[in-house]
Structures are given as C-alpha cells and as structure tokens.
C-alpha cells in the first residue's frame, strides 16, 4: 500500500465552464456542450466542444504574458491559478524550489502549427512568427505555468496521448512521495481543434458524424455510439503529502490513494480487445490504494463513445468489478479533450466523492445490450461514496487508472 496524497486544490477550464463550479454544474445537468464550429465549416465533421471563454477574455485574464502563449498554455495557466487559489496557497510566499509542475499534453497547439504553415505557404518565410516553436512544443504549458507561479522544482510534461493528464497526476504523486517536492501542481491541457486534427481523427474513424444532431453526438456506452466529439480544456490539481496538508490546516477535497500505469503493446490506435492492459492498470491502482475490487463504489469511465473503446472498457469493468459500481462518463457532456481528459476526469471524480453525487452520462438511456454496467443516466444520483477510480486510455496503448478516496 502506498501512502495517499491530498488533493487540496482544483482548477478547471472546460467546455462546461471556465472554472470548477460552472463545470461541475454543467456536468451534473448532463447536457452535451457540442456545437457547430465555424472554424470547421465544410469539413466532414464540423462541430466540437470549446471552452466558452472568448480569446480576448482569456487574454485579459492572463495579463501581459498572453501575447506569447498558445491557447493550450493559456488554459493551463488559468486552471493552475484557480487550483492554487483553491488550495489556499500564495505563490508570492512559497518556496518555489520545492514546487513541482507536471502538465500533460497530447497534441500541442495544433492550430498554431496549421496557421504558421499557411503563412509560410502563402506569405513566405519572413511572415512566420518567431514564437512558433515556443507555442507548439507540448512542454510549453508546463513551462508557462512554472513561470507564472514561480515554481522552480521538477518540471515535466508527459505525453501519453489521451492519458497524458492522468499520467501527469501519477508522476506528480511520485515526486511528492519521493521527497523531490513539497507541493505538486499537476494536470493536463489541450486546445487542438483545427481543420487538420478534425480531419485526421475523422479519417481514423474516431469521430461521431452526427452533424445533424450535434448535441446528441457523444453517447458513451450507448448501442448506437459512433465516435467522440473533439474538445479543448484544462485541469490542474494541487497535490500535497497528507501530513503537510493537515499541518497547514488545508481543506482536502479527496485523496489520491493509488495509481496504475500499463501498456497494451497491441496497436498504435486500437485498444486491446480483451482490455487486459487496462485491467492490469486498475488492479495496480487498487493494490497501491490498499483496496479490493468490491471496495470500489464508483467508476469515472474513459467512455469515449467509440465502438471499440466502450466495448473493451465495459467488459473489463464487469470482469473486475462485478458488484456493479455506479458509472459516469463525462465525455458525453464535455467531449474528448485528448491530453486534458484524464486530468479533467480526475478532478470530476474528486468532486463526485466530495459532493456524494454522481453526474449522469449525456445522451444515454440505457447501456448497450451486453454491457453489464450500472450507468447513471437522466439525473445526478446521490450516493454515499467512499472510493472511486478514474480510467484514462490513450493511443499507443497507454493505460492509467487513478484510485481516489473521500477525504
């Protein structure tokens, strides 16, 4: 059993809202945030889930440094600021040498790359921004958060595709427990909605094509699911050793009790059909947390709304957790924010435990035939929750499961 760490701060910037409370309310309403996207007009898939804050609003919130950042980095900075404030911490007074920043990112600033490629093609090399490289490299959100917070400890940027945010949280936990830092600011960010990324995901067959009913497009675990809706967003958690959090009288939203990470070693983009790698990650997380499968009250599922992922995950949950814990899947409401998704869903799992409320899965009336799952649908469900797991799986066969317990 590994010592749990305290989650003392949360920051969210999602299609459901630009902060924790607004996002939580949106997820609990269970209504999809997908909308037609003017930037995608004329493409085979022309809708997405975007953070509602306009670019100029985000820039005002960031301040003078906004000019040099991609939107991917900006969302991370805003989420980090909210998380640190939520934790009751002041970067002006902490020891920056003991603060770690770990922000996962899967795709990076894809829209910046596309725009600069267009400028090169149409206007020539002299019109390429000198900021191009510093905006598109996927470690820059970590760098900008470190700069913004004055955090000079370990600074890492895991890239495990759609598991990146969850990987970042697991890595940050390890940094804390190894004594390399005293506070870890960890999460994920992604803003990669662009004509190229949409078209590439469409070519893979990963996206829903319900352009005539975009609010109904993302439908995790439904019989007629046909793919996910691409989204943007960011989440940051503040993690501390439990004793340190108690010593300063911090509010603890939940505890991160265990982390499991494995690889399928199966296929670049398709999950292993038997989901044995995902199962191994779940079992590792439970062992680290000192929990047995029957102890789990709730599952925050990866639930992408794709035929292959949902089938494998459903079978794995039924196999390992046959007592049928309650299940939610936030991508029905928020879409799939790739590298940010695992962190967003970890935060929502912490809120589910704190509020003893399970949000419903959007666009789902009943799980598909053959899925032996207790999916929460229609309305939020009050439940006396003690433990939960959050699943994150990514292209390349990355599997990460986080086990959380109520504070």
């Amino acid at each position: 059993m590994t010592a749990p760490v305290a989650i003392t701060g949360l920051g969210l910037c999602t299609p459901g809202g630009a902060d924790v409370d607004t996002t939580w309310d949106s997820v609990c309403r269970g209504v999809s945030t997908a909308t037609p996207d003017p930037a995608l007009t004329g493409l085979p898939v022309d809708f997405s889930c975007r953070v509602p804050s306009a670019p100029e609003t985000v820039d005002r919130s960031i301040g003078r440094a906004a000019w040099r950042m991609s939107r991917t980095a900006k969302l991370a900075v805003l989420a980090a600021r909210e998380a640190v404030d939520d934790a009751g911490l002041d970067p002006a007074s902490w020891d920056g040498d003991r603060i770690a920043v770990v922000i996962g990112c899967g795709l990076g600033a894809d829209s910046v790359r596309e725009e600069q490629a267009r400028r090169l093609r149409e206007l020539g090399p002299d019109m390429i921004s000198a900021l191009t490289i510093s905006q598109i490299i996927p470690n820059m959100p970590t760098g900008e958060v470190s700069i913004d917070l004055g955090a000079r400890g370990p600074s890492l940027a895991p890239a495990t595709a759609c598991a990146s945010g969850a990987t970042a949280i697991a890595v940050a936990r390890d940094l804390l427990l190894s004594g390399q830092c005293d506070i870890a600011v960890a999460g994920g960010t992604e803003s990669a909605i662009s004509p190229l990324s949409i078209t590439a995901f469409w070519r893979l067959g990963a996206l829903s094509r319900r352009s005539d009913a975009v609010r109904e497009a993302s439908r995790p675990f439904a019989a007629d699911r046909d793919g996910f809706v691409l989204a943007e967003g960011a989440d940051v958690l503040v993690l501390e050793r439990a004793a340190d959090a108690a010593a300063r009288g911090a509010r603890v939203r939940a505890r991160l009790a265990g982390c499991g990470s494995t690889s399928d070693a199966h296929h670049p983009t398709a999950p292993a059909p038997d989901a044995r790698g995902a199962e191994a990650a779940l079992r590792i997380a439970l062992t680290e947390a000192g929990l047995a499968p029957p102890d789990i009250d709730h599952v925050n599922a990866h639930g992408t709304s794709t035929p292959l992922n949902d089938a494998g995950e459903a079978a794995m949950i039924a196999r390992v957790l046959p007592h049928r814990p309650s299940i939610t899947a936030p991508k029905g409401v928020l879409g799939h924010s790739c590298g940010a998704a695992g962190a967003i869903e970890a935060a929502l799992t912490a809120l589910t435990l704190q509020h003893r409320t399970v949000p419903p899965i959007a666009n789902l009336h009943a799980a598909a035939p053959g899925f032996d799952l207790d999916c929460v649908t229609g309305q939020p469900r009050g439940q006396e929750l003690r433990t939960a797991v959050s699943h994150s799986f990514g292209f390349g066969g990355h599997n990460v499961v986080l086990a959380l317990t109520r504070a």
Side-chain angles (χ1 to χ4, degrees), residues 6-10 80 83-84 87 89 183-186 236-240 248:
I7 301 171
T8 57
L10 297 178
V84 169
L89 294 167
I183 295 169
V185 177
V236 170
L237 281 64
V238 172
L239 305 177
E240 302 178 61
R248 72 177 185 88

Side-chain angles (χ1 to χ4, degrees), residues 286 290-298 321 323 386-388:
L286 295 181
L291 299 170
D295 296 328
I296 298 305
D297 299 320
H298 171 66
L321 307 173
H323 60 290
R386 299 170 295 107
T387 62

Side-chain angles (χ1 to χ4, degrees), residues 195-250:
L196 177 60
S197 59
I198 282 281
T199 303
F201 276 122
W202 168 75
R203 288 285 289 157
L204 277 174
L207 297 183
S208 173
R209 304 187 184 193
R210 287 187 170 88
S211 293
D212 57 341
V214 299
R215 287 293 179 99
E216 301 170 13
S218 183
R219 40 203 316 113
F221 300 113
D224 58 349
R225 66 195 183 279
D226 72 331
F228 62 78
V229 178
L230 193 60
E232 64 177 1
D235 166 70
V236 170
L237 281 64
V238 172
L239 305 177
E240 302 178 61
R241 287 181 290 270
D244 293 345
R248 72 177 185 88

Side-chain angles (χ1 to χ4, degrees), residues 102-298:
V102 190
I103 306 292
C105 185
L107 291 168
D110 208 46
S111 59
V112 174
R113 185 181 289 105
E114 279 195 54
E115 171 60 19
Q116 295 306 313
R118 183 195 66 78
R119 293 172 69 88
L120 176 62
R121 183 175 63 252
E122 297 179 2
L123 303 175
D126 289 342
M127 298 307 294
I128 297 299
S129 170
L131 298 172
T132 300
I133 295 299
S134 63
Q135 289 189 348
I136 66 175
I137 53 179
N139 68 301
M140 196 50 65
T142 299
E144 290 288 6
V145 169
S146 298
I147 293 166
D148 192 69
L149 298 179
R152 298 183 298 274
S155 177
L156 302 170
T160 52
C162 302
S164 297
T167 298
I169 293 167
V171 169
R173 187 279 308 258
D174 291 346
L175 292 174
L176 273 171
L177 295 183
S178 69
Q180 295 183 62
C181 63
D182 294 327
I183 295 169
V185 177
T189 188
E190 200 85 85
S191 182
I193 302 169
S194 70
L196 177 60
S197 59
I198 282 281
T199 303
F201 276 122
W202 168 75
R203 288 285 289 157
L204 277 174
L207 297 183
S208 173
R209 304 187 184 193
R210 287 187 170 88
S211 293
D212 57 341
V214 299
R215 287 293 179 99
E216 301 170 13
S218 183
R219 40 203 316 113
F221 300 113
D224 58 349
R225 66 195 183 279
D226 72 331
F228 62 78
V229 178
L230 193 60
E232 64 177 1
D235 166 70
V236 170
L237 281 64
V238 172
L239 305 177
E240 302 178 61
R241 287 181 290 270
D244 293 345
R248 72 177 185 88
R251 177 190 60 178
V252 177
R253 286 190 177 267
R255 291 185 173 86
L256 177 61
C259 307
S261 299
T262 64
S263 298
D264 285 346
H266 169 71
H267 189 274
T269 57
D274 60 8
R276 291 296 175 182
E279 176 181 339
L282 173 55
R283 292 189 183 279
I284 292 168
L286 295 181
T287 298
E288 282 203 349
L291 299 170
D295 296 328
I296 298 305
D297 299 320
H298 171 66

